[in-house]
Amino acid sequence: MSNKELVFGHQNPDTDAITAAMAFSYFQNQLGYETEAVALGEPNDETKYALDHFGMKAPRVVETVSNEVDKVMLVDHNEPQQSVSDLDKVTVTHLVDHHRIANFNTAQPLWITARPYGCVSTIITELFQEKHINIPANLAGMMLSAIISDTLLLKSPTTTDHDREAVKYLAKVAGVEDYEKYGIDMLKAGTNIAKKTDNEIVDGDAKTFELSGNKLRIGQVNTVDLDDVFSRQADLEKEMRNLMDQNGYETFVLMVTNILNSDTDLFVVGDHTETVEKAFGKKLENKRMNLPGVVSRKKQVVPPLTDAFEG
Amino acid sequence: MSNKELVFGHQNPDTDAITAAMAFSYFQNQLGYETEAVALGEPNDETKYALDHFGMKAPRVVETVSNEVDKVMLVDHNEPQQSVSDLDKVTVTHLVDHHRIANFNTAQPLWITARPYGCVSTIITELFQEKHINIPANLAGMMLSAIISDTLLLKSPTTTDHDREAVKYLAKVAGVEDYEKYGIDMLKAGTNIAKKTDNEIVDGDAKTFELSGNKLRIGQVNTVDLDDVFSRQADLEKEMRNLMDQNGYETFVLMVTNILNSDTDLFVVGDHTETVEKAFGKKLENKRMNLPGVVSRKKQVVPPLTDAFEG
């Protein structure tokens, strides 16, 4: 095998998972590494909109990596169950992430830059700046898109001053004059609920979490009108139950997030619904609860669930 | 509680564990955090020599941290069993490390800079440089000492170009004209075997590792003459067996390292001796095996043991 390394984000890739892999691969290649950005799935509609807008190609999709390389670089995730299925057969040499660290164990020291920022593309922007490496305009446009996506146009509580600075910097490099207008167009492109299958809605951006031995699946779908999603509630529940049966999830939590007013309806199916109620101090009605101001899975949904399941 | 955070390295602190806490605390305070460097034990003779030489005081020793703060910053370690006993009661907000990641789980995203360098003080030197913050001369002297200690004067295979650059830079800032002469004096000050108790020799720099469920204690002692250590082999074995009984270690591995010629004799007591033999492809004689060129626990001893125990 050559010294080549693959760089990739998590399963069900969102705009940051795809873009951070492209950006970190480019960065490492400038430093002399031989890397290729790949993805663990096809780009979603939002990411496709951004790729089209900036004239870039989606990374190649891979199912496994150990058949090609023996070393990899991870971006935007570190939990093995969110990664490639044969991760245990390769060595992780680099990690750039903005998530909690969980079940990430290595045999050897490695290079890690993790920051509690809103977006991995923000961290990578700072890496470029520290090393005084220029970011190509189209890549900067993708990184701008990733930050807008992860922070819902800098409105999510995960947003930091680092993200705001990076957005300004990248918009300039990318030649995007009105990033707010571009951002709303891009976010809307990702919310075409009518076009989505039941599976895409509930599982398209879902991740698995193990909380005190309980396997939770937590999905999130963005919309500009909650009714577009909940008019299909019965079918969505059926699909969630299918996925639970197939994959052994005990609980399926779907965040239905209105990107215009930054609210989320939580839609909960399966066991442990009282634990979910305890986590948020609210009762479920018709399996749903409204959480005003909640938009971030990582910052506003996973931590209270973790506390409730482990408490 | 105030917003103050404590910064500390691993148990049985060596020169890097003490110094990296001092340096990272100083760095974070310059950035506006309120931190204090503390230590999980008294400085060893080598560290004392360096502190005396550069006119600095040892950090306060703590047994627990959650009685004082609810947030901490870790340096030079991430495995919980090498850390403070009440680590699970506080939040880790920052980590700077050069070890493998193992059993380090967080509920929230955090700030991590890990690099596969020879010494954490090298990583912190680069953090200062990136932020254009000056390192005080006496602190630079300690950081120089830490790198010399961890890399055995840049001779360990863990040494990287980053460590070599940092040594040059820090020697200049600290006003140390001949760092090789200073380094040998400092290393020798740490190897006064005659002055050490049996416990200090076997456990003074020891760390616990869990390999496939087996609890190994791996110590290391530096000397300029292996006989200074092995003339006390029977007493040392007794002390190792005491510690195994008290703490439930199944195997105790002591690296006796000659810093002048960079060789190590491995002294192995307890169960799984065949697994240790398998790890290094050598037979134990009188519970010992000679490993020429081996000086690094992290790079040359833990990885083959990990492979052998997990293989």
Side-chain angles (χ1 to χ4, degrees):
Chain A
M1 277 190 203
S2 72
N3 266 323
K4 188 175 136 176
E5 299 192 40
L6 296 180
V7 185
F8 51 89
H10 51 79
Q11 295 171 13
N12 289 329
D14 56 10
T15 302
D16 192 35
I18 300 258
T19 299
M22 293 164 64
F24 195 58
S25 171
Y26 180 85
F27 175 77
Q28 291 294 342
N29 290 349
Q30 299 305 109
L31 294 182
Y33 283 84
E34 184 193 349
T35 74
E36 180 191 355
V38 294
L40 304 188
E42 297 292 342
N44 62 30
D45 285 346
E46 178 195 281
T47 311
K48 275 186 201 146
Y49 179 92
L51 287 165
D52 282 352
H53 189 95
F54 294 104
M56 295 197 88
K57 271 177 59 184
R60 176 168 66 93
V61 174
V62 298
E63 295 279 330
T64 55
V65 292
S66 62
N67 50 314
E68 296 190 47
V69 295
D70 42 31
K71 291 184 292 184
V72 302
M73 302 184 183
L74 302 186
V75 297
D76 200 28
H77 74 299
N78 67 83
E79 304 193 36
Q81 80 272 15
Q82 296 167 6
S83 196
V84 75
S85 58
D86 59 345
L87 187 68
D88 58 339
K89 296 205 182 74
V90 294
T91 300
V92 179
T93 66
H94 291 68
L95 165 67
V96 199
D97 202 359
H98 68 140
H99 295 91
R100 68 171 192 168
I101 305 296
N103 304 315
F104 179 73
N105 296 301
T106 68
Q108 295 284 348
L110 74 162
W111 187 107
I112 306 177
T113 293
R115 298 288 181 266
Y117 298 171
C119 182
V120 171
S121 290
T122 301
I123 305 172
I124 299 175
T125 302
E126 295 187 352
L127 292 174
F128 274 103
Q129 291 171 333
E130 278 162 14
K131 293 278 184 197
H132 307 287
I133 297 172
N134 289 325
I135 308 176
N138 54 356
L139 183 60
M142 288 305 298
M143 294 165 80
L144 171 68
S145 304
I147 303 175
I148 290 169
S149 168
D150 266 18
T151 65
L152 288 180
L153 249 172
L154 305 177
K155 285 192 193 112
S156 163
T158 56
T159 310
T160 66
D161 286 342
H162 298 269
D163 303 297
R164 291 181 197 100
E165 288 299 316
V167 159
K168 271 188 242 165
Y169 175 80
L170 294 168
K172 208 168 158 185
V173 174
V176 175
E177 282 188 23
D178 186 344
Y179 73 81
E180 298 208 351
K181 187 191 169 311
Y182 166 73
I184 288 175
D185 290 345
M186 182 199 75
L187 290 171
K188 275 191 183 161
T191 63
N192 192 341
I193 301 294
K195 232 190 84 187
K196 289 196 162 94
T197 66
D198 297 334
N199 179 276
E200 285 166 348
I201 290 174
V202 304
D203 212 45
D205 183 41
K207 293 178 186 177
T208 303
F209 295 85
E210 288 232 10
L211 304 181
S212 284
N214 300 295
K215 223 168 155 185
L216 271 80
R217 186 78 168 169
I218 309 181
Q220 180 169 26
V221 63
N222 291 338
T223 179
V224 290
D225 184 350
L226 293 187
D227 284 341
D228 288 352
V229 176
F230 285 110
S231 62
R232 294 160 64 176
Q233 181 167 347
D235 290 333
L236 297 178
E237 177 172 346
K238 210 185 212 171
E239 179 60 20
M240 288 155 89
R241 292 199 183 273
N242 278 343
L243 292 165
M244 291 165 72
D245 287 346
Q246 285 163 28
N247 301 286
Y249 313 136
E250 292 163 61
T251 314
F252 204 125
V253 177
L254 179 65
M255 298 173 62
V256 184
T257 300
N258 186 328
I259 57 167
L260 298 184
N261 68 7
S262 304
D263 277 8
T264 287
D265 257 35
L266 222 57
F267 178 30
V268 186
V269 172
D271 303 337
H272 308 298
T273 52
E274 333 72 48
T275 313
V276 178
E277 290 179 333
K278 194 180 84 181
F280 299 98
K282 277 206 166 179
K283 289 280 166 202
L284 289 162
E285 289 173 41
N286 187 22
K287 302 188 176 122
R288 291 162 53 179
M289 67 170 78
N290 182 255
L291 299 175
V294 168
V295 295
S296 165
R297 170 169 45 194
K298 184 172 67 174
K299 199 131 181 168
Q300 297 172 298
V301 172
V302 173
L305 284 174
T306 303
D307 289 345
F309 274 89
E310 294 179 356
Chain B
M1 279 194 201
S2 72
N3 266 322
K4 188 176 134 175
E5 298 191 42
L6 295 180
V7 186
F8 51 90
H10 51 79
Q11 296 170 14
N12 289 330
D14 57 9
T15 301
D16 193 33
I18 300 258
T19 300
M22 294 164 63
F24 195 57
S25 172
Y26 179 87
F27 175 77
Q28 291 294 342
N29 290 349
Q30 299 305 109
L31 294 181
Y33 283 84
E34 183 194 351
T35 73
E36 180 192 357
V38 293
L40 304 188
E42 297 291 342
N44 62 30
D45 285 346
E46 178 195 280
T47 311
K48 276 185 202 148
Y49 180 92
L51 288 164
D52 282 352
H53 189 94
F54 293 105
M56 295 198 88
K57 271 177 57 186
R60 176 167 66 94
V61 174
V62 298
E63 294 280 331
T64 56
V65 292
S66 62
N67 50 312
E68 296 190 46
V69 296
D70 42 32
K71 292 184 291 185
V72 301
M73 304 184 181
L74 302 187
V75 297
D76 200 26
H77 74 299
N78 68 83
E79 305 192 36
Q81 79 274 15
Q82 295 167 4
S83 195
V84 75
S85 57
D86 60 344
L87 187 69
D88 57 339
K89 296 202 181 76
V90 293
T91 301
V92 179
T93 66
H94 291 68
L95 166 66
V96 199
D97 204 358
H98 68 141
H99 295 91
R100 66 171 193 169
I101 304 295
N103 305 312
F104 179 73
N105 295 300
T106 70
Q108 296 283 348
L110 75 160
W111 188 105
I112 306 178
T113 293
R115 300 287 181 267
Y117 298 171
C119 182
V120 171
S121 289
T122 301
I123 305 172
I124 299 174
T125 301
E126 294 187 352
L127 293 174
F128 275 102
Q129 291 171 333
E130 279 162 13
K131 293 279 182 198
H132 305 288
I133 297 172
N134 289 325
I135 308 177
N138 54 357
L139 183 60
M142 288 304 299
M143 294 165 78
L144 171 69
S145 304
I147 304 174
I148 290 170
S149 168
D150 266 19
T151 64
L152 289 180
L153 251 173
L154 305 176
K155 286 195 191 111
S156 163
T158 57
T159 310
T160 66
D161 286 342
H162 298 269
D163 302 298
R164 290 181 197 101
E165 288 299 316
V167 159
K168 270 188 241 163
Y169 175 79
L170 294 168
K172 208 168 159 186
V173 174
V176 174
E177 281 188 23
D178 186 345
Y179 72 80
E180 299 208 350
K181 185 190 169 313
Y182 166 73
I184 288 177
D185 290 345
M186 183 200 74
L187 290 171
K188 275 192 184 164
T191 63
N192 192 342
I193 301 295
K195 231 190 85 190
K196 288 197 164 95
T197 65
D198 296 335
N199 180 275
E200 284 167 350
I201 290 175
V202 303
D203 212 45
D205 182 43
K207 295 179 182 174
T208 303
F209 295 84
E210 289 231 7
L211 304 181
S212 284
N214 301 294
K215 225 169 153 186
L216 271 79
R217 187 77 167 170
I218 309 182
Q220 181 168 27
V221 63
N222 290 337
T223 181
V224 289
D225 184 350
L226 293 187
D227 284 339
D228 289 350
V229 176
F230 285 110
S231 62
R232 294 160 62 176
Q233 180 166 348
D235 291 332
L236 297 178
E237 178 171 347
K238 210 184 208 175
E239 178 60 20
M240 288 155 91
R241 293 204 181 269
N242 277 343
L243 292 165
M244 293 167 71
D245 286 347
Q246 285 163 30
N247 301 287
Y249 313 136
E250 293 162 63
T251 313
F252 205 124
V253 177
L254 179 64
M255 297 173 63
V256 183
T257 300
N258 186 330
I259 57 168
L260 298 185
N261 68 7
S262 303
D263 277 8
T264 286
D265 256 36
L266 223 57
F267 178 30
V268 187
V269 172
D271 301 338
H272 308 299
T273 51
E274 334 68 50
T275 314
V276 178
E277 290 179 333
K278 193 180 84 185
F280 299 97
K282 275 206 171 184
K283 289 282 166 200
L284 289 162
E285 291 173 40
N286 186 23
K287 299 177 178 134
R288 292 162 54 180
M289 67 171 78
N290 182 255
L291 300 175
V294 167
V295 294
S296 166
R297 171 168 46 197
K298 184 172 68 174
K299 201 132 182 166
Q300 297 172 298
V301 172
V302 173
L305 283 174
T306 303
D307 289 345
F309 273 88
E310 294 177 356

